[in-house]
Amino acid sequence: MKILMLSSTFPYPPTRGGTQVRTFNLLKYLSGSHAITLVTQRSEEVIDAEVEELQKWVEELVIFPQPQVSEGEKSLLGRMQRFTTFLQQGTPLSVLNCYSAEMQEWVDEAVKLSTFEVITCEHSANEIYVRQEWQQQLRTVVNIHSSVYGMHRVQLETGASENQIKDQLNLPLLARYEERYCSKFAAIAVTTPEDRRQIATFNPDAEIAVIPNGVDFALFPKRLSDPGGHHLMYIGAMDNQLNIDAVRFFSLEVFPEILRRYPEATLELVGKKPVPEVLELEECQGITVTGQVPSMVDYLHKATVCVVPVRTGVGIKNKTLEALAAGVPVVGSDRGLEGLAVDGADVPLRALRANEPTEYVYAISRLFEDRQLRKQLSENGRSLIESKYTWERAGKLYEQVLTGR
């Protein structure tokens, strides 16, 4: 097939983040059998070498400059005006901020010329470029990395919202937005059964496929030995609000009790762009903030336990998949383990679950004390990833969605 893929996020290198990981690896799989034209945007941090590498995986690479939010738009008046636009047009600011009129013109012309058989939006933010009437001439697909309505609902329910009043006002608008844009597509891909149920409430007759994320085993091999000790680790981009909330919660409400029990315990926060709220945690005993590292897996292999105490966000977390693939025992929240069968009846124990501080302390203490339990989680976690969370499996499922089989 001739496939047109739209991604306002430049999907290379895949080590840069969640959106890039999913988009690139699905693109990489499809490129083995299909002709792909990728239309994307380039920010200032994308270097020429990355453009050259991405070019190798597509038939045509079309790049537009990433739109910039002006200083006026960032002001209080600007934010109020943008919220008014959201109320009037029904499209979130996160989508409008990435919108490129030049990119829209290019896509419109390509569809008009009937060049492609399928058009895919890699992340729902790209739905803005697709027109309702296009369903009559080509297959339209949206790959929803996570439900925007679901994400904001969870933030409100967990008390993690930065602005409760604003998010409460936004919630019905986001529900209306998600229902509207989903109707434009012949098929919808989501990452978890939870997201499938959420989207189905908006569009019960929609063709919805669950396609989980995967792991590149070349980047995340299973570790050869258990390092022992009392070394905890959290991985993730440290300028992401989900990760900021998680590390502050764990560092301030959980780790002090771990230290009381295990005075030599350490907590390493590994990930790019740590913001001041993260950097200040280094002042706490036993905590290190590394910033970006050359190889995430090299750090994971040194951890006794990887913690995933996220309280917001929806969908499968790449950080959890990567830790399980690396053979590192995981203690995670319901959000951190979302979409994964890691415990319960007839399920081999693959990770320990915790949501409250006392639950984290209990689970981590068990793993610190029990080498056999660590081995059990290491083996079972890796086996789960090998059987269900490979990019080849995800790619095959996505190919079926695109072909309509």
Side-chain angles (χ1 to χ4, degrees), residues 339-357:
L340 304 175
V342 297
D343 54 9
D346 302 320
V347 174
L349 188 62
R350 293 155 172 158
L352 299 186
R353 193 177 299 272
N355 291 291
E356 301 300 325

Side-chain angles (χ1 to χ4, degrees), residues 341-385:
V342 297
D343 54 9
D346 302 320
V347 174
L349 188 62
R350 293 155 172 158
L352 299 186
R353 193 177 299 272
N355 291 291
E356 301 300 325
T358 54
E359 294 172 340
Y360 280 104
V361 172
Y362 174 68
I364 291 166
S365 298
R366 285 182 64 195
L367 287 167
F368 279 175
E369 301 291 341
D370 192 339
R371 177 178 288 270
Q372 188 58 40
L373 179 59
R374 296 200 301 270
K375 180 180 179 182
Q376 179 186 358
L377 296 192
S378 175
E379 297 291 339
N380 291 347
R382 174 68 181 198
S383 296
L384 173 66
I385 303 303

Side-chain angles (χ1 to χ4, degrees), residues 139-244:
R139 187 161 173 81
T140 54
V141 177
V142 60
N143 182 3
I144 301 176
H145 292 203
S146 61
S147 162
V148 289
Y149 168 81
M151 181 173 64
H152 281 75
R153 178 177 54 78
V154 167
Q155 287 178 331
L156 284 167
E157 291 174 351
T158 58
S161 170
E162 293 184 295
N163 190 326
Q164 287 275 337
I165 295 175
K166 176 186 171 184
D167 284 348
Q168 198 69 57
L169 289 171
N170 281 348
L171 202 59
L173 299 175
L174 290 171
R176 186 179 67 187
Y177 164 69
E178 205 144 69
E179 181 177 9
R180 175 175 59 80
Y181 86 69
C182 283
S183 70
K184 296 194 297 182
F185 295 92
I188 300 168
V190 296
T191 62
T192 67
E194 289 84 354
D195 262 4
R196 187 190 191 286
R197 286 191 288 272
Q198 179 64 71
I199 298 300
T201 63
F202 297 136
N203 194 342
D205 299 324
E207 179 188 328
I208 308 173
V210 177
I211 302 174
N213 286 349
V215 177
D216 184 337
F217 292 131
L219 296 177
F220 291 91
K222 185 177 182 295
R223 69 184 183 188
L224 299 177
S225 61
D226 178 352
H230 305 114
H231 183 38
L232 301 174
M233 187 169 294
Y234 182 93
I235 61 173
M238 295 299 168
D239 60 345
N240 181 300
Q241 188 56 44
L242 175 151
N243 293 324
I244 296 168

Side-chain angles (χ1 to χ4, degrees), residues 168-355:
Q168 198 69 57
L169 289 171
N170 281 348
L171 202 59
L173 299 175
L174 290 171
R176 186 179 67 187
Y177 164 69
E178 205 144 69
E179 181 177 9
R180 175 175 59 80
Y181 86 69
C182 283
S183 70
K184 296 194 297 182
F185 295 92
I188 300 168
V190 296
T191 62
T192 67
E194 289 84 354
D195 262 4
R196 187 190 191 286
R197 286 191 288 272
Q198 179 64 71
I199 298 300
T201 63
F202 297 136
N203 194 342
D205 299 324
E207 179 188 328
I208 308 173
V210 177
I211 302 174
N213 286 349
V215 177
D216 184 337
F217 292 131
L219 296 177
F220 291 91
K222 185 177 182 295
R223 69 184 183 188
L224 299 177
S225 61
D226 178 352
H230 305 114
H231 183 38
L232 301 174
M233 187 169 294
Y234 182 93
I235 61 173
M238 295 299 168
D239 60 345
N240 181 300
Q241 188 56 44
L242 175 151
N243 293 324
I244 296 168
D245 176 77
V247 298
R248 288 190 63 84
F249 160 70
F250 189 85
S251 299
L252 301 176
E253 298 188 38
V254 179
F255 191 59
E257 180 58 31
I258 297 291
L259 278 176
R260 276 190 281 273
R261 295 188 179 204
Y262 304 93
E264 75 286 7
T266 56
L267 169 61
E268 197 160 14
L269 308 178
V270 183
K272 65 180 183 179
K273 298 181 179 179
V275 296
E277 302 100 298
V278 175
L279 289 171
E280 69 181 24
L281 296 173
E282 261 198 315
E283 298 175 8
C284 302
Q285 179 186 342
I287 298 179
T288 303
V289 180
T290 69
Q292 188 164 351
V293 296
S295 171
M296 190 68 78
V297 75
D298 287 346
Y299 278 76
L300 275 173
H301 284 173
K302 298 173 186 176
T304 317
V305 177
C306 180
V307 293
V308 192
V310 298
R311 302 190 293 178
T312 64
V314 292
I316 292 179
K317 309 300 184 291
N318 286 323
K319 63 176 92 290
T320 308
L321 297 180
E322 291 164 357
L324 293 172
V328 182
V330 169
V331 175
S333 64
D334 290 341
R335 289 292 160 200
L337 301 174
E338 183 178 345
L340 304 175
V342 297
D343 54 9
D346 302 320
V347 174
L349 188 62
R350 293 155 172 158
L352 299 186
R353 193 177 299 272
N355 291 291

Side-chain angles (χ1 to χ4, degrees), residues 10 12-13 16 42-54 63:
F10 192 84
Y12 196 89
R16 194 170 266 148
R42 180 177 182 177
S43 66
E44 293 179 353
E45 68 177 353
V46 176
I47 61 177
D48 290 343
E50 292 167 349
V51 173
E52 293 172 8
E53 284 298 314
L54 183 58
I63 302 176

Side-chain angles (χ1 to χ4, degrees), residues 86-131:
F86 180 22
L87 286 172
Q88 293 172 341
Q89 297 184 5
T91 302
L93 303 181
S94 58
V95 177
L96 294 174
N97 289 344
C98 298
Y99 181 71
S100 163
E102 289 180 283
M103 185 167 157
Q104 180 75 70
E105 185 178 351
W106 191 98
V107 174
D108 285 345
E109 186 63 22
V111 174
K112 181 180 177 181
L113 295 173
S114 300
T115 308
F116 301 96
E117 299 160 71
V118 182
I119 183 170
T120 78
C121 295
E122 301 305 316
H123 198 291
S124 57
N126 299 283
E127 63 77 22
I128 194 169
Y129 296 104
V130 172
R131 304 188 187 280

